[in-house]
Amino acid sequence: MTLDVSRRSLLALGAGLGATAMLGGSALAKAPKLGTQAPYFHRFNFGDAEVTVVSDGPLPLGDPGGAFLGVPKEEIKKMLTDNFLSPDNVVLEQNSPIVNMGDKLVLFDTGMGTSKAFGPTTGRLQKSIAESGIKPADIDAIVCSHAHIDHIGGIVGADDKPLFPNAQVYIAQSDYDFWTDEGKLGGPLKDFVLHARKNLLPVKDRLVFIKDGQEILPGIQAISAPGHTVGHTVFMVTSKGKSFCFLGDLTHHQVLLLEKPRMEFAYDTDPKAAANTRVKLLDMLAADKTPVMSYHFAWPGYGHVVKAGDGFRYIAAPMNMQL
């Protein structure tokens, strides 16, 4: 009995669809495709602070086998496909938090800027900031995790003039010295050194060199995390008893370098030291249940890391956090 009813229903449905087709589909919606995306910022409260995450745009690395080393390529591809990610093109985000601490407006890292070394989708930081309603002139401090091309690239514009006219720039001196070294212009790091010099030398009089453990600004503590670069630094941001850690490039990928944190990354200055630092700090953050903000994780890069066997797992925070 039920089977017969189902058949009659299907026949009736088919007849209805046929009639609609004969009428030229007039019953179907004909709204045009919009072809636009949402603005590239995300905002939430944290303690007494307000955090606005802005994006410099996706950064494609291409074939993962060229950047993630020490693990068989087929295993890497399986890790990606198991997480519904492309096995042929690893795409990183560039998440820069702007933290309004009440008395200071602080931007962490600045994207690629004018460089298109990783393709045309980068370099939108100024657009994202405008979409968020923040004015570059209101930024009091730029805090740099390190001096790689995709983190200091947006300090000056194409005309070499500072894009944040009232900001001091905080960075480890060892990283500044390494990446602005004129002697490296003849080697494989040439493009990175040129871009660092372009962005850091024009603001040399605004540089503030930071040290491990130092509270560089009220509520912002520097923690040395060497390996990715000689002076790579992460930052603990604290407001009203709550803290999150801005990871910079402690780990570049929410799957590959968490599930296998000792995997090496081609852009690390010292891959072995980077892996040791990664495991040490991720262990601490997971044990303390400290929220993290990762520059390169899937947008907007805010959540937690938890232990999972010999590695870790990233749990993204809900994006409906109330303001």
Side-chain angles (χ1 to χ4, degrees), residues 1-15:
M1 185 67 160
T2 303
L3 184 61
D4 290 340
V5 171
S6 297
R7 285 175 177 166
R8 284 199 296 272
S9 300
L10 288 171
L11 288 170
L13 176 61

Side-chain angles (χ1 to χ4, degrees), residues 59-64 66-68 88-92 118 252 265 267:
L59 190 157
L61 286 180
D63 182 357
F68 299 90
D88 303 313
N89 182 26
V90 170
V91 179
L92 307 181
F118 291 94
H252 288 74
F265 186 64
Y267 293 92

Side-chain angles (χ1 to χ4, degrees), residues 96-161:
S96 290
I98 301 175
V99 184
N100 189 335
M101 301 293 286
D103 58 344
K104 295 286 185 184
L105 193 59
V106 183
L107 166 66
F108 291 81
D109 289 343
T110 65
M112 292 285 295
T114 58
S115 172
K116 295 302 177 185
F118 291 94
T121 57
T122 66
R124 80 167 336 264
L125 187 76
Q126 289 291 320
K127 182 179 180 181
S128 297
I129 291 174
E131 289 170 346
S132 78
I134 293 173
K135 297 177 181 178
D138 291 340
I139 300 290
D140 298 297
I142 298 169
V143 175
C144 301
S145 61
H146 61 299
H148 266 177
I149 195 169
D150 54 326
H151 293 258
I152 48 78
I155 294 176
V156 305
D159 58 1
D160 295 337
K161 292 182 180 178

Side-chain angles (χ1 to χ4, degrees), residues 152 155-156 160 162 176-177 179-182 185 193-207:
I152 48 78
I155 294 176
V156 305
D160 295 337
Y176 172 83
D177 290 344
W179 294 103
T180 59
D181 181 2
E182 203 170 1
L185 289 174
V193 174
L194 280 173
H195 210 49
R197 289 174 64 85
K198 169 184 170 62
N199 281 273
L200 293 173
L201 295 185
V203 295
K204 191 172 182 179
D205 61 336
R206 303 184 190 186
L207 292 179

